[in-house]
Amino acid sequence: MSRPATFVPPAGARAYFLRTARGEFAVVDAPVAVGVEPRGVALLLPGFTGSKEDFNPLHVPLGERGYRTVAVDGRGQFESDGPATDESAYAQEELARDVLAQAEAIGGPVHLLGHSLGGQITRAAVLLDHSPFLSLTLMSSGPAQISASQQERVKLLRDALAVLSMAEVWEAIQAMEPPEETDTPALDAGLDDRDDLRRRWLATKPAQLLSTGRQLCTEPDRVAELAAVGLPFHVLSGAQDDTWPLPLLDAMAVRLEARRTVVEGAEHSPNTDRPLETARAIADFWDDAAAERRIRPAP
């Protein structure tokens, strides 16, 4: 479960609306640490029912390694606007084109990272146009649809959204163990934590959840297409994951000729479970990807 320790951006980071050719998107933009030589810029996309705040624990350690990091709420996600009932606005290609616009607005090329659902959206963006990106990190994001058990949980959520309001669904969620991928709160969440999570839930557009939930349950295997792009790839996950079992992630990494990182002590959200270890692995990969690019420039 991706539950940030705080919804307050770290010191020095800015929360604002990034203007792009496809509208405005809420971001947390964290600078390189003072006195550290800049090494690059990264765009970070959250997972299903997540938000930009899921990356709050990573900003400081990545800034200390020389990376400016920009975490974004996707269309209809938390503080980024979007239609409440028009699911077509959240088709995967539409969300992927949003990513391309975000990268352009930030100023590229950028390292790209997607967590879970965000990984499949970043993959779609790279397949549309890989030129704005230096590398792609797929964090706890698998080759195709989510596991059967998680599909059932997403189906329950979609069925509930068809007949209940977002507030009513929130109350119903409290009575059951949440789907790991949907990042909804457990009963032992602290009161402040639960208030922030409830605020995020209520701000997210129902059509976004319905459309992206369907995508998670039907996503085809596009690994061969992605491998043909030729970017440096990184497959990172926790040591346990019920959404995409580790053997699937291991095999995907082999097919992509990707770096493979397993973060011990973490589950589906290593960004919040083990942020320092996760940030170290990400920055090491970005460093090496940049060095490889200098040795063998992209055509």
Side-chain angles (χ1 to χ4, degrees), residues 40-245:
V41 182
L43 177 61
L44 316 178
L45 272 72
F48 187 55
T49 76
S51 68
K52 58 192 180 301
E53 287 75 18
D54 294 343
F55 298 108
N56 278 348
L58 299 184
H59 289 302
V60 169
L62 290 173
E64 291 172 348
R65 291 287 298 268
Y67 291 97
R68 172 191 171 200
T69 46
V70 182
V72 60
D73 287 337
R75 182 190 305 201
Q77 224 177 13
F78 193 23
E79 295 179 322
S80 290
D81 199 14
T85 59
D86 180 11
E87 292 186 44
S88 68
Y90 304 103
Q92 188 183 77
E93 182 172 334
E94 293 297 316
L95 301 180
R97 292 193 182 279
D98 288 346
V99 175
L100 295 174
Q102 293 155 9
E104 180 182 18
I106 292 168
V110 301
H111 295 285
L112 186 59
L113 181 150
H115 174 231
S116 199
L117 169 71
Q120 298 198 330
I121 294 169
T122 59
R123 177 172 76 177
V126 166
L127 290 175
L128 283 173
D129 181 5
H130 69 274
S131 64
F133 307 114
L134 295 169
S135 70
L136 174 60
T137 296
L138 300 171
M139 178 189 290
S140 304
S141 186
Q145 71 272 13
I146 56 177
S147 66
S149 63
Q150 294 298 317
Q151 287 186 47
E152 182 59 30
R153 291 173 181 266
V154 171
K155 181 180 183 300
L156 288 173
L157 174 61
R158 291 178 56 217
D159 289 347
L161 287 171
V163 296
L164 300 175
S165 69
M166 289 291 284
E168 290 169 332
V169 172
W170 172 266
E171 295 304 321
I173 285 171
Q174 305 313 297
M176 66 183 71
E177 181 184 2
E180 181 179 348
E181 165 58 22
T182 56
D183 295 349
T184 46
L187 289 172
D188 61 354
L191 291 178
D192 291 342
D193 177 58
R194 194 186 315 222
D195 287 345
D196 284 330
L197 292 170
R198 182 177 186 275
R199 180 168 57 90
R200 175 170 71 179
W201 171 263
L202 294 179
T204 299
K205 300 298 187 287
Q208 193 269 355
L209 294 171
L210 290 167
S211 180
T212 57
R214 185 179 297 106
Q215 291 168 35
L216 285 167
C217 295
T218 59
E219 178 73 5
D221 188 322
R222 305 186 71 186
V223 175
E225 293 176 67
L226 187 62
V229 170
L231 280 179
F233 298 117
H234 186 194
V235 176
L236 182 148
S237 72
Q240 295 182 350
D241 198 317
D242 292 334
T243 305
W244 286 280

